[in-house]
Structure formats: C-alpha cells, structure tokens
Amino acid sequence: MADERALVLGGGGVAGIAWQTGVLAGLAAAGVEVTDADLVVGTSAGSTVAAQVTSGLPWEELLARQTDPGRRSEELVPAGSVAEALERMLTLRSEGLEPAEVRRRVGALALAAETVPESARRAVIEGRLPVREWPRRPRLVIPAVEAISGAPVLFDAESGVDLVDAVAASCAVPGIWPPVTIADARYVDGGLRSMNNADLAAGHGRVLVVAPFADPVLEEDVAGLTGDGARVEVVAPDEASAAAFGTDPLDPATRTPAAEAGYAQGRAEAERVAALWK
C-alpha cells in the first residue's frame, strides 16, 4: 500500500465547522500540519472546512472566522433541526430498507420540503469560502447525493462543478436546507451516504478522521481501512468539545465555544496525531 495520507472531515453543522477548524488549527499550532495530505475528503460541514483549510489562508485567519463575530458570514434560520432530520433517516433505516432506498425517500422529502430559497442558501455558502476555486493540491473530494435517484456522487476539481455549488450540495441537510441544482440535477447532503465517508480514503496508508458526530458506519469504515493495512486515527469531540456543541449544532452561537474547545483539543491530540502523520 502506498504511504499516502488522507484527511477525512465529517458532518456536524455550524458547530462542527467551528470545532474541526479549531482542531486543525490546534494541531498546526503544536507543529502537526495535516493539510499537507494527499487526499482530503469533506462531507457536509466537513466540505466547508476542507474548502477553507485548503485555500492557502493562514490558520490565524481561518480560526478568527469562527471565533470573531465580526468576521463571520451571515447565517439563515433553518427550516428544522438536525435532530428531526436524523430521526427521519433513522426511522427509514429501522424499516429494513436498503441504503439506496433510504436515500431516495429522504431525497423525496427534501425536494418537497419548504425551506429558504436556494439562492439565499448559496450566498451563505459562498460567504463561508474565502477562496472559491478548487485547490491544485491536495486532491479535494466532496460527496453529495442525487436527490431523485439517491445515487451518491463525488465532486472534485475534475468534475467541472463550481466549488461553491459542490459545498452547498454536500451541506444541503434534507428538510432543513434546499437541494442544490447543478446542471439538470438536484443534490442533497453528502452525509446521507455516511456522515464521514471515511471509506473514500481506501488506498492511503495513513488516514486521519476528524468526526464531529458519532457515526455507526465509521467503525465499519475504519475496520475496512485497517484491514487493508492502513493506519487510522479518529479524533472525536472530547467532553469539553461535546459540551460546546450544545443541543443544536446549527446554532451560530456555538461557533466560538466549539472553535475554542476544538483548538484546545487539537493541541492535546497533537502527539497522538503526529505519531500517525509524521
């Protein structure tokens, strides 16, 4: 197996964006720069973080965009809650449906939901991205799901899709934010495939997963990666970070505490991550 490195950034709402940014900034401050990966996989909130941290902006700027209220982009009021969206998906999965059928049904719900206008949501995503071009390196992969067919798609620099549209699609939580129109199709959250999509790091010898939310699929993905000979480390919220998330990860008020808790956790995790990365 090639000794290439992959960074996997999972879904987690506004709090997840802030926390992951803090973790990565804390690691960098401790001398562990993980954005020099060969591959970055960003799902939902993780797609926003991935686009930001591969933009070339310094960590001080990226962290300030989360901790300084004066540097933040405008946010919209969501049509529902993450808890409601997760409950809908879990209810469908409990019926014993195949994953593809679950994705199709959730996609249908997303298409029928009343949400903010698609253009308004895109403007928010655009405001979150300091640089709106795909990075030349590392390779950035952003998963989403086609709403009608339920088919997963992977956007990257070769897909011909605008970076803002790719991130908006991956962040389109069903029933909360509008599906995103790209060409003649509409797309919803990449977390509908899985919250982290760590299996997309297959073929890489060292994999770091930064996972804001618990994901039952992640354990299977990590087992598959390690079974293929990869070394894998997972950073999940510690007690302080979990408290900073609060009860609603879409609440903009979680940004500063989540980013600060993530930064502290990143510094604390630096030795463990360095053993993998370096």
Side-chain angles (χ1 to χ4, degrees), residues 43 89 93 99 102-107 144-147 150 170 174 188-195 197:
T43 300
M89 286 187 276
R93 288 174 180 171
V102 171
R103 293 193 297 267
R104 282 193 290 271
R105 294 196 183 191
V106 174
V145 170
E146 204 278 318
S170 193
V188 293
D189 202 305
L192 192 52
R193 180 182 185 270
S194 89
M195 286 295 289
N197 291 297

Side-chain angles (χ1 to χ4, degrees), residues 143-168:
V145 170
E146 204 278 318
I148 294 177
S149 68
V153 297
L154 303 177
F155 297 122
D156 63 11
E158 305 301 319
S159 63
V161 171
D162 184 273
L163 179 61
V164 174
D165 289 331
V167 171

Side-chain angles (χ1 to χ4, degrees), residues 121-255:
R121 175 61 175 166
R122 189 186 190 280
V124 168
I125 299 299
E126 187 173 41
R128 289 178 179 172
L129 304 186
V131 176
R132 293 149 194 162
E133 297 178 358
W134 291 91
R136 297 192 178 194
R137 192 178 184 282
R139 182 187 177 215
L140 172 57
V141 173
I142 296 177
V145 170
E146 204 278 318
I148 294 177
S149 68
V153 297
L154 303 177
F155 297 122
D156 63 11
E158 305 301 319
S159 63
V161 171
D162 184 273
L163 179 61
V164 174
D165 289 331
V167 171
S170 193
C171 291
V173 183
I176 296 179
W177 302 120
V180 171
T181 304
I182 300 176
D184 58 353
R186 302 195 75 193
Y187 297 91
V188 293
D189 202 305
L192 192 52
R193 180 182 185 270
S194 89
M195 286 295 289
N196 296 283
N197 291 297
D199 62 312
L200 298 178
H204 292 74
R206 290 176 281 170
V207 181
L208 175 64
V209 182
V210 184
F213 281 168
D215 177 7
V217 179
L218 180 57
E219 187 175 343
E220 299 174 14
D221 287 348
V222 170
L225 292 169
T226 56
D228 288 339
R231 296 170 56 198
V232 183
E233 293 288 350
V234 178
V235 177
D238 60 14
E239 186 175 350
S241 294
F245 273 55
T247 58
D248 182 7
L250 296 180
D251 184 354
T254 62
R255 275 182 164 182

Side-chain angles (χ1 to χ4, degrees), residues 14 17 48 52 65 73 75 121 124-130:
V14 171
I17 292 173
T48 300
Q52 290 174 339
R65 290 171 69 89
S73 57
E75 296 294 337
R121 175 61 175 166
V124 168
I125 299 299
E126 187 173 41
R128 289 178 179 172
L129 304 186

